[in-house]
């Protein structure tokens, strides 16, 4: 079973300044932004002398990482069937209005899949029974806009190093990307790391990626300066053209903001690679879970069902309507930050979060509440990283825990809990 153990870490904002100097400088010099920086690390600073760590044993870590890798492999491999045999079901599972409005994006996403465009990261959110030490299920996969990368990778390493126990963690995302970077980026590549630098979570993620790829020609750019040159068919910022782009923005928002660019993707497809390739929209979209559940439970694809039979133990019943369900959760297919999530018990809504996605298509997912660690609810996150020779394969590289006080996590009150692996 996983337990909380407390350690004196001597953590302070000095450590953050060492690990993310550009972000700290950017926020410290702006009176309006500085409180966001301090608030981001308020919990570990206040608890520094007795910071809670989640203590897992090796068996628990192996179960968590193996479960994440299995579900990820099934999601990725399912797209072969989706594109080859079930194109007519894309609108059913992925949002009929969006698919109808942006058919060229669907074609571009399929192109990036068939061309084996690699991804650089992504995070599963998974329910976990901390008392029993058991992985319960995968809630969703955050492919395009996951945050808490800085805490999960850099802060986690700093804390274990400060204890002299850096080998007692599941945290190899940085090393995995370093190992594969020469395969991901040809020599001389220009890489744009793009996002909203005034949002603290985004800024920390962007700088973590910049640090990871520091051996290359990397440019950290605010999204306001990112542009597309229709004459040259190139993406750029400050007159610098990019061969690779990481942009911390959901694909659907990019498509809706620049539909004419996406409509002409054949003109620029060979000029740039996005480090969050468009094909992963199909597994970051929560409808991908309903597609996978249908494929494993109701389709006639026996070979796929046999290969991934074990996935169902980690996949809650997921469908596009609540028919036949009594205890379930509804989620917007393309929702973010836990907005517009409702919990139903015995068919009645008992909890709901606010947000801007009221008039969008929903996923209906079997209600499987996560467990508590101490007095807080805990969601186990698993960061995926490139692995092996197959460009679409990823390994579970780094584990993190997000603690929150309510059944539905809220980025405003969640807190990062470091982990430690015990004997």
């Amino acid at each position: 079973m996983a337990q909380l153990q407390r350690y004196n870490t001597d953590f302070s904002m000095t450590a953050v300044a060492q690990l993310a100097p550009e972000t700290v400088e950017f926020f410290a010099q702006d009176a309006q932004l500085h409180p966001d920086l301090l608030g981001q690390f308020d919990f570990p600073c206040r608890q520094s002398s007795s910071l809670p760590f989640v203590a897992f044993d090796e068996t628990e870590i192996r179960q968590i990482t193996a479960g994440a890798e299995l579900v990820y492999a099934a999601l990725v491999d399912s797209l072969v069937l989706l594109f080859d045999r079930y194109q007519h079901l894309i609108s059913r599972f992925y949002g009929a209005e969006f698919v109808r409005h942006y058919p060229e994006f669907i074609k571009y996403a399929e192109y990036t899949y068939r061309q084996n465009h690699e991804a650089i990261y992504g995070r599963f959110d998974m329910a976990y029974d901390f008392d029993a030490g058991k992985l319960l299920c995968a809630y969703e996969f955050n492919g395009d806009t996951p945050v808490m990368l800085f805490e999960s990778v850099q802060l986690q390493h700093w804390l274990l190093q400060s204890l002299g126990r850096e080998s007692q963690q599941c945290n190899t995302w940085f090393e995995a990307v370093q190992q594969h970077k020469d395969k991901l980026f040809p020599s001389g590549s220009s890489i744009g790391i793009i996002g909203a630098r005034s949002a603290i979570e985004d800024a920390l993620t962007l700088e973590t990626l910049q640090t990871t790829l520091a051996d290359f020609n990397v440019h950290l750019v605010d999204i306001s300066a990112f542009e597309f040159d229709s004459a040259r068919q190139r993406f750029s910022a400050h007159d610098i053209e990019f061969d690779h782009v990481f942009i911390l923005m959901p694909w659907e928002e990019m498509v809706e903001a620049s539909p004419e660019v996406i409509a002409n993707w054949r003109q620029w497809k060979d000029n740039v690679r996005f480090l969050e390739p468009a094909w992963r929209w199909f597994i970051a979209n929560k409808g991908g879970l309903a597609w996978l559940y249908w494929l494993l439970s109701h389709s006639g694809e026996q070979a796929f069902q046999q290969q991934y039979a074990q996935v169902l133990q980690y996949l809650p019943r997921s469908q596009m309507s609540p028919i036949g369900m009594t205890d379930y959760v509804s989620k917007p297919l393309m929702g973010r930050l836990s907005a517009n999530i409702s919990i139903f018990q015995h068919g009645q809504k008992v909890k709901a979060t606010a947000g801007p996605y009221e008039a969008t298509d929903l996923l209906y997912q079997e209600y499987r509440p996560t467990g508590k660690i101490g007095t807080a609810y805990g969601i186990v996150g698993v960061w995926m990283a490139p692995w092996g020779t197959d460009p679409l394969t990823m390994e579970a590289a780094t584990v993190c825990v997000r603690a929150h006080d309510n059944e539905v996590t809220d980025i405003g009150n969640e807190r990062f809990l470091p982990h430690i692996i015990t004997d």
Side-chain angles (χ1 to χ4, degrees):
M1 59 180 291
Q3 298 177 326
L4 285 180
Q5 296 181 357
R6 292 184 177 270
Y7 296 89
N8 183 358
T9 64
D10 291 326
F11 175 78
S12 69
M13 290 302 296
T14 300
V16 182
Q18 294 170 349
L19 297 171
E22 287 196 34
T23 299
V24 170
E25 181 181 4
F26 183 83
F27 278 75
Q29 65 187 7
D30 189 311
Q32 290 185 319
L33 295 179
H34 194 221
D36 294 343
L37 173 66
L38 299 178
Q40 185 72 14
F41 298 100
D42 175 68
F43 177 76
C45 283
R46 284 190 295 103
Q47 301 287 326
S48 175
S49 62
S50 184
L51 186 64
F53 287 64
V54 180
F56 295 105
D57 62 32
E58 289 281 3
T59 300
E60 291 177 285
I61 292 294
R62 284 195 297 270
Q63 182 192 43
I64 291 168
T65 55
E69 289 174 355
L70 179 64
V71 177
Y72 187 79
L75 283 166
V76 173
D77 287 352
S78 76
L79 298 186
V80 174
L81 295 172
L82 182 69
F83 294 140
D84 285 354
R85 304 182 190 176
Y86 295 101
Q87 291 254 357
H88 61 286
L89 295 182
I90 291 177
S91 60
R92 169 180 167 183
F93 288 108
Y94 289 95
E97 184 175 357
F98 182 86
V99 172
R100 179 171 59 84
H101 278 298
Y102 306 108
E104 288 301 323
F105 170 70
I106 302 302
K107 294 174 184 177
Y108 171 61
E110 179 183 354
Y111 168 82
T112 63
Y113 181 78
R114 296 195 185 278
Q115 294 296 312
N116 293 322
H117 286 197
E118 304 94 335
I120 198 170
Y121 80 161
R123 190 195 70 224
F124 274 106
D125 286 340
M126 312 190 87
Y128 195 77
D129 185 334
F130 294 90
D131 292 331
K134 180 182 179 182
L135 181 64
L136 299 177
C137 68
Y139 281 147
E140 62 189 49
F141 180 73
N142 298 282
D144 45 10
T145 57
V147 290
M148 205 177 273
L149 181 68
F150 170 82
E151 292 89 338
S152 304
V153 175
Q154 293 185 271
L155 179 55
Q156 166 73 33
H157 182 79
W158 187 96
L159 290 169
L160 268 289
Q161 190 175 53
S162 74
L163 300 177
R165 303 174 72 172
E166 58 189 289
S167 64
Q168 293 178 247
Q169 59 181 318
C170 178
N171 183 20
T172 60
W173 179 84
F174 180 88
E175 292 79 4
V177 176
Q178 290 280 304
Q179 183 178 347
H180 287 82
K181 61 186 180 182
D182 290 333
K183 182 182 72 173
L184 292 168
F185 310 109
S187 177
S189 295
S190 176
I191 305 171
I193 307 294
I194 316 296
R197 297 191 65 190
S198 60
I200 183 60
E201 291 268 12
D202 290 17
L204 290 165
T205 297
L206 297 170
E207 187 167 359
T208 300
L209 290 167
Q210 179 191 38
T211 300
T212 306
L213 303 176
D215 292 345
F216 292 87
N217 184 19
V218 179
H219 304 271
L220 182 59
V221 179
D222 189 80
I223 196 168
S224 61
F226 185 60
E227 58 187 8
F228 177 72
D229 186 331
S230 58
R232 293 180 54 79
Q233 296 292 310
R234 298 296 300 263
F235 293 89
S236 65
H238 305 303
D239 297 324
I240 301 169
E241 295 182 340
F242 301 125
D243 304 302
H244 294 79
V245 170
F246 173 87
I247 181 166
L248 195 56
M249 184 178 186
W251 266 106
E252 62 270 13
E253 292 185 14
M254 289 193 284
V255 171
E256 290 169 347
S258 302
E260 70 287 349
V261 176
I262 295 298
N264 294 311
W265 63 270
R266 293 172 184 83
Q267 304 298 316
W268 51 259
K269 62 181 175 59
D270 297 323
N271 296 337
V272 67
R273 279 206 180 189
F274 286 90
L275 298 181
E276 177 54 33
W279 67 263
R280 291 228 306 187
W281 178 83
F282 283 95
I283 62 176
N285 184 309
K286 296 174 185 63
L289 299 173
W291 152 250
L292 181 59
Y293 187 83
W294 177 85
L295 196 60
L296 290 169
S297 303
H298 302 299
S299 74
E301 300 294 340
Q302 295 182 0
F304 185 87
Q305 291 170 346
Q306 291 172 2
Q307 180 179 0
Y308 290 111
Q310 296 301 313
V311 170
L312 284 173
Q313 67 181 309
Y314 301 125
L315 184 64
R317 179 181 177 183
S318 303
Q319 55 194 52
M320 303 308 296
S321 80
I323 295 174
M325 308 177 82
T326 55
D327 295 346
Y328 60 93
V329 178
S330 66
K331 306 176 181 179
L333 297 187
M334 291 172 269
R336 307 288 162 182
L337 304 177
S338 301
N340 297 106
I341 292 178
S342 298
I343 298 176
F344 294 79
Q345 292 181 312
H346 307 294
Q348 301 298 313
K349 185 187 295 186
V350 295
K351 288 184 175 65
T353 62
Y357 305 106
E358 292 180 351
T360 59
D361 292 318
L362 301 175
L363 169 73
Y364 298 88
Q365 191 176 66
E366 173 191 354
Y367 180 49
R368 289 194 195 177
T370 192
K372 286 189 171 184
I373 181 72
T375 59
Y377 294 95
I379 290 179
V380 172
V382 182
W383 290 94
M384 309 300 289
W387 181 79
T389 57
D390 182 349
L392 301 189
T393 300
M394 301 194 91
E395 67 172 335
T398 289
V399 167
C400 67
V401 178
R402 301 157 65 204
H404 47 98
D405 298 323
N406 303 311
E407 286 183 89
V408 180
T409 185
D410 178 354
I411 196 170
N413 66 29
E414 71 177 10
R415 49 205 175 272
F416 166 76
L417 294 183
H419 73 274
I420 189 168
I421 301 176
T422 57
D423 298 331

